[in-house]
Amino acid sequence: MKRWGESPLEAHLPPETVLNQMEMAVVVCDRFSNVIHANAFARQLFGIGGDEIIGHSVLSLGIAEEDHELATELARHVLKGNVWEGTFCNVRADGTSVYTRAHAVPLRHPSGAVDGVVIL
């Protein structure tokens, strides 16, 4: 038996496994607002398949044109090291719309510098 707080080796899961099993959209962008990761739930929510979104602007998640300025505000605010919350209208590839509540936090390099944005 292990002591409290010690995890068995078989319980260790790579971050990708955990992110892809979350029933919450997780999107990671670089400093230039390009998507570098979108978990399976985000792909389902936004109606995108495979890795086609990787390397494209976060706007390609279907953020409605009227919310583009809001997305730009999010990026500026979070890249300064702040947290941001708001709601976007996203238009899926099939033409349907979904409103998403976003919570965005800075993605920090081990040096402490802000490298990008994580959006939940």
Side-chain angles (χ1 to χ4, degrees), residues 3-4 7 11 13 28 30 38 45-48 65-66 68 74 82 90-91 95-97 101-102 109 111 113 115:
R3 296 171 65 173
W4 179 257
S7 354
L13 298 171
V28 182
D30 64 16
L45 177 67
F46 300 120
I48 44 181
E65 192 170 334
E66 63 266 17
H68 284 192
L74 174 156
N82 302 302
N90 296 82
V91 181
T96 60
S97 295
R101 182 76 182 162
H109 183 272
S111 70
D115 270 353

Side-chain angles (χ1 to χ4, degrees), residues 27 29 32-35 46 48 53 56-73 75 88-91 119:
V27 178
C29 300
F32 307 103
S33 297
N34 296 312
V35 176
F46 300 120
I48 44 181
I53 193 71
H56 294 287
S57 166
V58 71
L59 297 177
S60 59
L61 292 173
I63 296 174
E65 192 170 334
E66 63 266 17
D67 286 343
H68 284 192
E69 189 175 319
L70 189 60
T72 301
E73 173 193 319
F88 291 102
C89 176
N90 296 82
V91 181
I119 304 167

Side-chain angles (χ1 to χ4, degrees), residues 90-104:
N90 296 82
V91 181
R92 296 175 175 169
D94 67 4
T96 60
S97 295
V98 61
Y99 285 87
T100 55
R101 182 76 182 162
H103 180 82

